[in-house]
Amino acid sequence: MRRVTARGRTLALSVIVAASVAALPGSAAAYGPGDGQGSGTTGPSGNADDKGNISATAGAVVFDRSKNGSGQSAGPVKSTTNWTPPACYYAPKYSPDQLKKYLEPIWEAGSTGYEWDASQRDRYVSGHPYKDFNKDKAGKGYWWDSYVTEGREGDPGALDCDKPYFWVDTNDDPPADIPEAITPERLAQLAYAEIRVPSTKVELAPEGTTKVNLPTWAWLDTAKFKPVSVTASVPLLGIEATTTAEPVSLKIEPGTDDAVTYPASGVCEFDSGHIGEAYAKGKSDETPPCGVEYLRSSGDGSFKLRATITWKIHWTGTGVTEARDLPEGTFGATQDVVVQEIQSVNR
């Protein structure tokens, strides 16, 4: 939802917008983020006719999640920097006729005030700068509007997209002074928010219960930790981007200061597709390449061992064949580890 500015008093009009979308012929519900489908859009969607006109007013971006992580334990990565995926963006929304059908009833209702309505008519009808909603360009471009990324409605960044509707001819780039306009890079950033990676529960030996001063081996089932990706596209524009996440390291935090990790940093790097090494008989006297050693008992409770995987994230897309980096992301989880004192028997 936009702030109340010269853009459109859209705070007060949001209910009207929603009703207009629902009433559009040919619009259909579409799957959004988190719906567990192979692909989806950011809202109600539609098709373009043979002239390139849009038949619905929302859902410009389509996500293909068929190569994404799945399962109840899967979750989103969190950027290792202050960067976050876009909370809003601009993309095609209306044909000339659709913008007219949307705006004229609002002007006729007079709910936004005479001065506002007059300024809008001047902008979109009287030629300053657009004439008659650009009907002479029907089929040759689209009216672009802002979208709020699903789940980010209350984010302050969602208010950054407050510019009025603007026209972009087919095959032309959006205006350079609108950084939020959809591009392959922007699509890659939106796909970043859709990435889901598997749980980081590690395999331990001994499993579940270990002993004080006994090295505990830790490793990951690498079959679960393959690269995952999401593709975002705008079919109306013929552009797309694929964002890929690949695991690069595992950080172990024992859940207590009375412990040492292997290696000492607690960070186990991926090596030839593996993190850590599965324990096998005969290795009890060896130092694990990845693991932890507790120096005291957990008593009647347990320690909360946290395992966090860092994922390297990059993208390719329309016009971009060499991978470009996005901020690395992390995803972690905790698991209980019971640590007991070693019992000795005196004879």
Side-chain angles (χ1 to χ4, degrees):
M1 189 181 298
R2 305 176 207 48
R3 61 173 76 120
V4 181
T5 66
R7 158 56 211 261
R9 315 218 177 166
T10 48
L11 188 61
L13 297 177
S14 59
V15 175
I16 300 175
V17 173
S20 300
V21 172
L24 282 170
S27 64
Y31 297 105
D35 289 326
Q37 303 299 316
S39 62
T41 70
T42 56
S45 65
N47 300 309
D49 62 22
D50 56 2
K51 295 182 179 180
N53 295 322
I54 306 173
S55 62
T57 64
V61 177
V62 176
F63 294 101
D64 178 357
R65 306 182 187 89
S66 60
K67 297 180 181 178
N68 205 7
S70 60
Q72 292 184 347
S73 62
V77 294
K78 180 180 180 180
S79 170
T80 57
T81 70
N82 291 329
W83 177 87
T84 59
C88 69
Y89 58 93
Y90 293 96
K93 183 173 282 191
Y94 297 108
S95 69
D97 280 340
Q98 287 173 336
L99 185 61
K100 178 181 179 180
K101 290 178 182 178
Y102 168 58
L103 287 179
E104 284 191 335
I106 297 173
W107 299 339
E108 291 171 3
S111 58
T112 51
Y114 173 80
E115 290 185 2
W116 168 255
D117 295 343
S119 68
Q120 292 291 283
R121 287 190 178 94
D122 189 54
R123 175 177 174 81
Y124 297 108
V125 180
S126 301
H128 303 104
Y130 305 109
K131 185 175 181 180
D132 196 19
F133 299 97
N134 269 7
K135 283 187 177 181
D136 61 328
K137 291 189 173 184
K140 300 177 182 179
Y142 309 100
W143 287 105
W144 287 42
D145 192 18
S146 63
Y147 295 79
V148 174
T149 306
E150 188 164 339
R152 303 286 297 279
E153 290 82 0
D155 193 310
L159 301 176
D160 290 342
C161 300
D162 61 357
K163 291 180 174 58
Y165 312 109
F166 57 90
W167 180 268
V168 180
D169 287 334
T170 302
N171 297 324
D172 277 1
D173 292 329
D177 62 347
I178 303 181
E180 301 88 359
I182 206 71
T183 60
E185 182 176 11
R186 199 79 172 174
L187 285 173
Q189 296 170 352
L190 292 171
Y192 185 112
E194 299 298 314
I195 290 288
R196 298 294 181 268
V197 296
S199 168
T200 52
K201 182 177 180 179
V202 295
E203 304 291 335
L204 298 174
E207 181 181 0
T209 301
T210 186
K211 305 295 183 182
V212 173
N213 298 325
L214 176 67
T216 300
W217 292 57
W219 68 95
L220 290 175
D221 180 356
T222 53
K224 297 179 182 179
F225 291 90
K226 304 295 184 183
V228 298
S229 65
V230 171
T231 297
S233 63
V234 181
L236 288 172
L237 301 178
I239 61 173
E240 66 175 26
T242 297
T243 299
T244 301
E246 301 179 80
V248 293
S249 65
L250 165 70
K251 181 177 181 180
I252 293 179
E253 298 171 275
T256 174
D257 291 336
D258 295 317
V260 295
T261 56
Y262 303 101
S265 64
V267 177
C268 307
E269 303 289 342
F270 266 78
D271 182 16
S272 302
H274 300 276
I275 279 190
E277 182 180 327
Y279 177 78
K281 289 183 178 180
K283 293 184 176 181
S284 58
D285 294 331
E286 298 181 18
T287 298
C290 184
V292 60
E293 181 177 335
Y294 289 96
L295 306 180
R296 68 174 176 89
S297 166
S298 59
D300 295 331
S302 61
F303 292 125
K304 299 290 186 181
L305 181 146
R306 183 169 184 81
T308 302
I309 289 186
T310 296
W311 297 77
K312 180 179 175 61
I313 302 179
H314 53 84
W315 70 279
T316 58
T318 303
V320 179
T321 56
E322 294 187 5
R324 296 184 181 178
D325 290 337
L326 288 168
E328 291 184 340
T330 61
F331 183 63
T334 59
Q335 58 195 89
D336 293 328
V337 178
V338 176
V339 182
Q340 299 175 339
E341 295 282 358
I342 296 177
Q343 301 296 320
S344 61
V345 179
N346 294 323
R347 296 183 182 274

